[in-house]
C-alpha cells in the first residue's frame, strides 16, 4: 500500500517515511503543494498525508481541488494548525482525519491503518462477529457466547468501534473523538475507566480476553493473542 | 408596547433636552403674556377711569357752579350719554335719575371704583358685557353712580387668553414633535452603533459603525469608534498572527525534539533507555499541552467562535457527560448524584461547552479523590441555566477562590497533583465567551463550582 506524503519540511518528511516504513508502508514524497497535487491526481495511492502550510499551494486548497476533480483517495491532514476551527476546516475541505503536530508515531500509525482499511474493506455487514462475541448494529445488542450483554449505549458504541477495527490498534484519542466526540484530551482516565467497565462485561468469566491493551499505544480487539 | 416606547423615548438625552427647552419656552410665553395682559388692562382701565372722573366732575360743576338740581344734571348727562351710564339713587335705594338700574345687591357691592360684569349682575344693560365706574356717596344718603362701557376690557382679556393658548399649544406641539423627531433620529444612530458593537462582540471584528455623512457629533463619535475598532482588529489580527506563528514556529522545534526522542527510543530499545525516553517524551508532552491550552484560551477569549453559536441541548449534554464520568468517578471511589432539569437550552458552542464541563469534572476527580460529587442543573428565573458541581473534597480557602480561576494559578494544595493550572481558567474563558459567569463557592466542606449560562 503506497502512501503519498505532501510535506515541505525535509526533516519531518524523513521522520515520517522512516516511521511509516517500520509499519510496512511505502511512501512517495512531494515537497510542495503543486507537486503533491500532480502526484495525487495521477492516482495509485492508498492514502494521502497532507501538511496544511505548504509552499505554492496550501493543503486545504490542494485537497479541495482533488475532491473537486473526483479523486477520493483517503486524506489525513498532519499539521501544526490546531485551532478550534482548523480541524473543521480540514474536514470540510474533504479530509478524512486530522492530526495535530506534534504527535506520537503510534497515533499516526493507528490512524493510517484505520483509514486504509476503511477504504479497502467493503461495507460491513450489520452483524459484527469476533470469536464468540457478536454485535448487531441495527438492534444495538451484543452477545458473548450466546449470552446477551448488558451494555449501556456508550459502552455499546465503544465496543462497536473496537470491533469495526478488529485486529487494529485504536488509540485513546481515536476513541475520544469517535465515541465521545471529544476533540481535546481530558486530564482524567475517561477511556481507561470505560474500557475497564467494558472488559468487566465482555471478558470477565471467559477464558480468552478479546480486549487487549497495547502498551503506550491504545487498545485492540482481537481473537488472536 | 406604547408605554415601553415612551419610556425609551424619555430615556433619550436628546428628548429630555427638547422637553426642557419646551418648558423654558412655555415659561417665557407665560411671562410675556402676563406683561401684555397687565399693561393693556392698566391702560384701558386708566382711560375708562379718566372718562368717569371727567363725567363726575362735569355733574359736580353743574350742581355747584350752575346750581342745577342734581336729578336734572344727571338727566342732561343721560341725554348726551354715549356708552356712559349714570344713576342717582335715594337713601332707600330708589332710582331718582339715570339710565342704569342699581339693584340692592349691586349697591351693596359697589363702593368707589369697581368693574362689574353682566354675568354677575344681570341688571346691567343688555348690550354691555361689563361696566367700570365709580360710586360717589352724596350728602343726604344719595349715591351717584357713573360708569363706562367696559366691554372692550373683557374682549381684550379674551383675545389675550386665546392668543396665549394658541401660542402655548404651538410651542408645545412643535417642541414635542421636534424633540420626538430629534430623539428618534439620535436613537437610530445610537442603535446602529449598539448593533455594530453587538456584532463585533459576537465575533465579527470587521464590522464598522455606519456614517450618515452629515459630519455631526454622531459621525464624529462613529469615526472615533471606527478608528478604535480598526486598531483593535489590527491588534487582534496581530495576536492571531503571533499565535499561529508561535504555533508553527515555536511548536515546530518542540515537535522535532519529540520526533528525535521517538526515533531514538525506537533505535535504542534497551528497557532502561526506553523508560528514560518515555519520561522525557511525557515531560515534553506536558509542556506542549500547556502551550496548546494557552493558545486555546487566547483563541476562546478572542471571541471569534461566537459567530458559529447554535442552540445546544444542555440537559442532554450534561446527561451524556455524567454517563461518561460515572465510571471515572467510581474508579476514584467518588459517588455521583445527579439533578439535571430537562429541556435546558443555551446558545453556544457545543464543543467548548463540553470541554468546559469536562474540565470542571476533571477538577473534581483530581482534587477531591474519594469525596462525593453532586451535579445540579436547573433553569434560572429570567432565562439561562444554573449549573453547580459540588464536591465534598478539601475545597479552596475563601481568599484563594478568585485566584483559582486565573491562568497558571496552582494553589499550594494542588502543587503535587497533575494538571497545568489552566483547567479552571479555560472554564472561566468559555463561560465568558457565552456571556455567562463562573463562581467558586464554599460547599462546607468542599468546593462548589457555580456556572451560570444565559438562555437562548
Amino acid at each position: 500500500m503506497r502512501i503519498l506524503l505532501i510535506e515541505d519540511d525535509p526533516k519531518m518528511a524523513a521522520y515520517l517515511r522512516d516511521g511509516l516504513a517500520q509499519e510496512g508502508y511505502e511512501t512517495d514524497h512531494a515537497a510542495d503543494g503543486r507537486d503533491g497535487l500532480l502526484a495525487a491526481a495521477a492516482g495509485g495511492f492508498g492514502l494521502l498525508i497532507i501538511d496544511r502550510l505548504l509552499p505554492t499551494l496550501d493543503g486545504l486548497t490542494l485537497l479541495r481541488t482533488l475532491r473537486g476533480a473526483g479523486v477520493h483517495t483517503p486524506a489525513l491532514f498532519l499539521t501544526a494548525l490546531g485551532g478550534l476551527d482548523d480541524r473543521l476546516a480540514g474536514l470540510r475541505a474533504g479530509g478524512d482525519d486530522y492530526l495535530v503536530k506534534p504527535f506520537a508515531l503510534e497515533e499516526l500509525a493507528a490512524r493510517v491503518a484505520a483509514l486504509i482499511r476503511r477504504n479497502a474493506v467493503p461495507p460491513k455487514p450489520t452483524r459484527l462477529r469476533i470469536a464468540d462475541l457478536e454485535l448487531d448494529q441495527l438492534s444495538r445488542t451484543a452477545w458473548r457466547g450466546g449470552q446477551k450483554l448488558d451494555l449501556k449505549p456508550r459502552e455499546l458504541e465503544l465496543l462497536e468501534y473496537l470491533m469495526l477495527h478488529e485486529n487494529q490498534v485504536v488509540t485513546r484519542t481515536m476513541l475520544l473523538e469517535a465515541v465521545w466526540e471529544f476533540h481535546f484530551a481530558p486530564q482524567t482516565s475517561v477511556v481507561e475507566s470505560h474500557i475497564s467497565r467494558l472488559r468487566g462485561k465482555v471478558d470477565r468469566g471467559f477464558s480468552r480476553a478479546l480486549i487487549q491493551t497495547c502498551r503506550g499505544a491504545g487498545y485492540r480487539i482481537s481473537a488472536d493473542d | 408596547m406604547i408605554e415601553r416606547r415612551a419610556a425609551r423615548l424619555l430615556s433619550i438625552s436628546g428628548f429630555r433636552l427638547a422637553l426642557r427647552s419646551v418648558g423654558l419656552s412655555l415659561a417665557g410665553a407665560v411671562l410675556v403674556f402676563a406683561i401684555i395682559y397687565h399693561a393693556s388692562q392698566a391702560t384701558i382701565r386708566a382711560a375708562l377711569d379718566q372718562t368717569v372722573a371727567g363725567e363726575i366732575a362735569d355733574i359736580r360743576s353743574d350742581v355747584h357752579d350752575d346750581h342745577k338740581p342734581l336729578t336734572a344734571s344727571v338727566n342732561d348727562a343721560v341725554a348726551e350719554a354715549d356708552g356712559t351710564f349714570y344713576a342717582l339713587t335715594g337713601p332707600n335705594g330708589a332710582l331718582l335719575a339715570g339710565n342704569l338700574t342699581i339693584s340692592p345687591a349691586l349697591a351693596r357691592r359697589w363702593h368707589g371704583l369697581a368693574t362689574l360684569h353682566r354675568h354677575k349682575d344681570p341688571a346691567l344693560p343688555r348690550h354691555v358685557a361689563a361696566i367700570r365706574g365709580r360710586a360717589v356717596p352724596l350728602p343726604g344718603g344719595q349715591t351717584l353712580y357713573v360708569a363706562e362701557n367696559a366691554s372692550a376690557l373683557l374682549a381684550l382679556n379674551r383675545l389675550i387668553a386665546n392668543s396665549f393658548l394658541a401660542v402655548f399649544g404651538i410651542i408645545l406641539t412643535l417642541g414635542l414633535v421636534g424633540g420626538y423627531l430629534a430623539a428618534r433620529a439620535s436613537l437610530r444612530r445610537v442603535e446602529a452603533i449598539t448593533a455594530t458593537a453587538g456584532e463585533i462582540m459576537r465575533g465579527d471584528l470587521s464590522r464598522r459603525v455606519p456614517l450618515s455623512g452629515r459630519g455631526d457629533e454622531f459621525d464624529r463619535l462613529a469615526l472615533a469608534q471606527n478608528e478604535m475598532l480598526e486598531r483593535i482588529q489590527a491588534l487582534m489580527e496581530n495576536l492571531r498572527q503571533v499565535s499561529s506563528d508561535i504555533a508553527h514556529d515555536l511548536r515546530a522545534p518542540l515537535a522535532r525534539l519529540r520526533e528525535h526522542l521517538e526515533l531514538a527510543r525506537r533505535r535504542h530499545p534497551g528497557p532502561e533507555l526506553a523508560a528514560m525516553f518515555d519520561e522525557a517524551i511525557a515531560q515534553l508532552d506536558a509542556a506542549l499541552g500547556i502551550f496548546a491550552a494557552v493558545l486555546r484560551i487566547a483563541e476562546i477569549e478572542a471571541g471569534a467562535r461566537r459567530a458559529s453559536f447554535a442552540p445546544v441541548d444542555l440537559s442532554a449534554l450534561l446527561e451524556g457527560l455524567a454517563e461518561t464520568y460515572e465510571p471515572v468517578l467510581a474508579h476514584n471511589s467518588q459517588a455521583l448524584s445527579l439533578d439535571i432539569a430537562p429541556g435546558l437550552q443555551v446558545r453556544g458552542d457545543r464543543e467548548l461547552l463540553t470541554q468546559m464541563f469536562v474540565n470542571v469534572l476533571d477538577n473534581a476527580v483530581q482534587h477531591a479523590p474519594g469525596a462525593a460529587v453532586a451535579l445540579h442543573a436547573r433553569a434560572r428565573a429570567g432565562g439561562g441555566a444554573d449549573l453547580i458541581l459540588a464536591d465534598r473534597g478539601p475545597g479552596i480557602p475563601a481568599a484563594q477562590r478568585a485566584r483559582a480561576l486565573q491562568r497558571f494559578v496552582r494553589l499550594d494544595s494542588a502543587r503535587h497533583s497533575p494538571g497545568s493550572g489552566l483547567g479552571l481558567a479555560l472554564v472561566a474563558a468559555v463561560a465568558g465567551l457565552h456571556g455567562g459567569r463562573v463562581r467558586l463557592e464554599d460547599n462546607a466542606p468542599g468546593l462548589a463550582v457555580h456556572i451560570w449560562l444565559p438562555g437562548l
Side-chain angles (χ1 to χ4, degrees):
Chain A
M1 185 56 67
R2 292 180 74 78
I3 295 174
L4 176 62
L5 174 65
I6 310 172
E7 164 69 65
D8 62 321
D9 177 354
K11 278 189 183 165
M12 176 55 110
Y15 167 69
L16 283 171
R17 295 184 76 167
D18 193 44
L20 290 168
Q22 285 188 31
E23 301 290 327
Y25 300 108
E26 269 185 76
T27 42
D28 281 10
H29 174 226
D32 69 31
R34 201 163 22 200
D35 288 355
L37 179 65
L38 292 174
F45 295 101
L47 177 70
L48 311 174
I49 297 178
I50 310 170
D51 188 9
R52 270 188 63 179
L53 300 167
L54 290 168
T56 68
L57 185 66
D58 74 274
L60 285 186
T61 315
L62 187 158
L63 187 59
R64 223 177 276 128
T65 312
L66 280 178
R67 294 292 188 245
V71 176
H72 295 292
T73 315
L76 181 147
F77 278 110
L78 190 55
T79 169
L81 298 179
L84 283 163
D85 295 322
D86 293 330
R87 191 181 53 83
L88 205 60
L91 299 185
R92 283 215 183 105
D96 298 278
D97 203 351
Y98 197 98
L99 188 56
V100 179
K101 293 174 187 171
F103 52 91
L105 268 180
E106 289 87 355
E107 184 73 44
L108 178 69
R111 285 169 188 261
V112 164
L115 282 175
I116 285 177
R117 182 160 134 166
R118 189 169 85 191
N119 205 42
V121 176
K124 301 268 179 195
T126 57
R127 206 174 177 92
L128 309 173
R129 189 171 288 119
I130 294 172
D132 56 349
L133 175 65
E134 282 183 83
L135 186 146
D136 190 296
Q137 287 180 290
L138 295 180
S139 67
R140 313 302 296 165
T141 325
W143 299 265
R144 178 88 198 254
Q147 195 103 31
K148 194 177 161 197
L149 300 174
D150 176 25
L151 299 178
K152 289 184 177 160
R154 191 83 71 181
E155 291 165 346
L156 193 101
E157 271 180 65
L158 180 56
L159 184 62
E160 182 184 24
Y161 189 83
L162 287 170
M163 290 178 82
L164 283 169
H165 296 84
E166 182 186 359
N167 294 324
Q168 286 176 46
V169 176
V170 292
T171 62
R172 270 180 207 86
T173 329
M174 287 165 78
L175 288 171
L176 283 170
E177 287 179 10
V179 179
W180 286 275
E181 289 175 57
F182 286 1
H183 298 284
F184 52 88
Q187 299 293 307
T188 50
S189 49
V190 170
V191 177
E192 291 82 343
S193 308
H194 279 265
I195 289 281
S196 160
R197 278 272 173 99
L198 189 62
R199 275 199 172 122
K201 292 180 180 179
V202 173
D203 284 338
R204 185 170 298 156
F206 292 90
S207 58
R208 185 157 53 178
L210 298 176
I211 302 172
Q212 303 162 0
T213 303
C214 308
R215 209 187 143 283
Y219 302 94
R220 178 172 61 178
I221 197 160
S222 173
D224 312 324
D225 290 324
Chain B
M1 180 68 205
I2 288 171
E3 276 164 34
R4 253 181 51 198
R5 248 184 105 83
R8 217 162 53 135
L9 259 183
L10 272 176
S11 72
I12 297 166
S13 59
F15 192 69
R16 286 205 304 268
L17 192 67
L19 279 187
R20 269 203 290 278
S21 60
V22 166
L24 274 178
S25 306
L26 291 178
V30 167
L31 191 67
V32 167
F33 273 95
I35 291 169
I36 291 175
Y37 173 78
H38 279 287
S40 55
Q41 290 276 312
T43 311
I44 292 174
R45 269 195 207 132
L48 291 174
D49 292 352
Q50 206 177 352
T51 313
V52 167
E55 292 299 323
I56 291 171
D58 282 353
I59 291 171
R60 279 210 162 121
S61 75
D62 277 359
V63 172
H64 286 279
D65 302 346
D66 305 341
H67 304 289
K68 259 168 96 174
L70 191 54
T71 47
S73 171
V74 169
N75 281 334
D76 285 355
V78 169
E80 291 169 20
D82 176 21
T84 311
F85 300 96
Y86 304 87
L88 180 64
T89 54
N92 56 356
L95 185 67
L96 302 177
N99 55 356
L100 185 64
T101 320
I102 304 291
S103 65
L106 187 54
R108 265 199 302 284
R109 269 194 287 125
W110 195 348
H111 302 286
L113 265 176
T115 305
L116 303 154
H117 297 267
R118 217 178 89 79
H119 65 88
K120 279 192 205 150
D121 297 294
L124 293 185
R126 279 261 158 92
H127 60 282
V128 297
I131 56 170
R132 179 172 173 82
R134 186 184 279 280
V136 186
L138 299 174
Q142 291 185 330
T143 311
L144 173 64
Y145 298 94
V146 178
E148 277 289 307
N149 183 352
S151 300
L153 203 60
L154 285 190
L156 192 69
N157 278 355
R158 239 191 326 273
L159 180 68
I160 289 175
N162 287 344
S163 321
F164 175 74
L165 281 180
V167 167
F168 195 91
I170 288 168
I171 290 176
L172 196 64
T173 312
L174 283 182
L176 286 179
V177 168
Y180 170 73
L181 290 179
R184 207 176 56 165
S186 73
L187 187 63
R188 236 179 245 157
R189 302 292 297 280
V190 169
E191 272 171 358
I193 296 175
T194 315
T196 310
E199 278 169 34
I200 289 166
M201 280 188 283
R202 281 192 288 279
D204 185 0
L205 282 171
S206 65
R207 291 295 312 232
R208 293 293 176 271
V209 180
L211 297 181
S212 72
R214 286 194 291 271
D216 57 12
E217 70 274 24
F218 282 108
D219 272 4
R220 290 211 302 279
L221 178 67
L223 266 176
Q225 276 214 319
N226 285 347
E227 275 169 30
M228 184 177 77
L229 290 170
E230 206 77 51
R231 180 96 183 102
I232 290 174
Q233 195 185 8
L235 286 173
M236 289 303 305
E237 261 153 30
N238 200 0
L239 175 73
R240 209 166 299 149
Q241 191 60 45
V242 168
S243 303
S244 65
D245 284 355
I246 288 172
H248 198 235
D249 297 347
L250 210 73
R251 280 169 80 195
L254 287 179
R256 208 160 289 142
L257 176 59
R258 200 184 186 288
E259 290 156 25
H260 281 298
L261 287 171
E262 283 225 22
L263 274 185
R265 183 178 64 180
R266 283 174 172 239
R267 284 180 189 158
H268 305 281
E272 220 169 293
L273 269 180
M276 282 171 69
F277 282 130
D278 283 349
E279 175 60 20
I281 289 173
Q283 297 283 353
L284 195 54
D285 281 345
L288 284 163
I290 290 172
F291 208 66
V294 170
L295 285 175
R296 175 64 54 100
I297 291 173
E299 196 183 359
I300 293 166
E301 284 175 347
R305 283 292 269 204
R306 282 201 195 97
S308 57
F309 273 11
V312 174
D313 183 344
L314 205 58
S315 303
L317 193 152
L318 288 171
E319 296 276 4
L321 282 176
E323 194 198 323
T324 296
Y325 268 81
E326 191 272 319
V328 182
L329 291 162
H331 193 247
N332 207 19
S333 318
Q334 290 176 284
L336 174 65
S337 64
L338 286 181
D339 177 15
I340 299 171
L344 295 175
Q345 295 260 334
V346 293
R347 196 176 161 68
D349 185 310
R350 191 186 173 79
E351 196 175 328
L352 286 178
L353 287 172
T354 304
Q355 190 168 2
M356 174 174 82
F357 294 126
V358 161
N359 281 19
V360 174
L361 286 160
D362 278 347
N363 191 66
V365 172
Q366 288 174 331
H367 299 303
V373 173
L375 175 61
H376 294 266
R378 53 183 104 84
R380 187 188 175 98
D386 265 323
L387 309 138
I388 299 170
L389 188 85
D391 66 52
R392 290 281 177 201
I396 298 178
Q400 297 185 38
R401 267 182 224 134
R403 239 164 53 83
L405 291 173
Q406 293 167 8
R407 287 171 210 198
F408 292 117
V409 171
R410 302 198 59 201
L411 306 174
D412 294 336
S413 53
R415 206 45 74 191
H416 301 294
S417 46
S420 58
L422 289 164
L424 289 180
L426 187 133
V427 170
V430 174
L433 178 79
H434 287 82
R437 267 218 328 265
V438 182
R439 273 202 326 271
L440 302 182
E441 288 162 3
D442 192 4
N443 195 34
L447 176 70
V449 182
H450 190 143
I451 301 173
W452 167 68
L453 292 172
L456 284 181

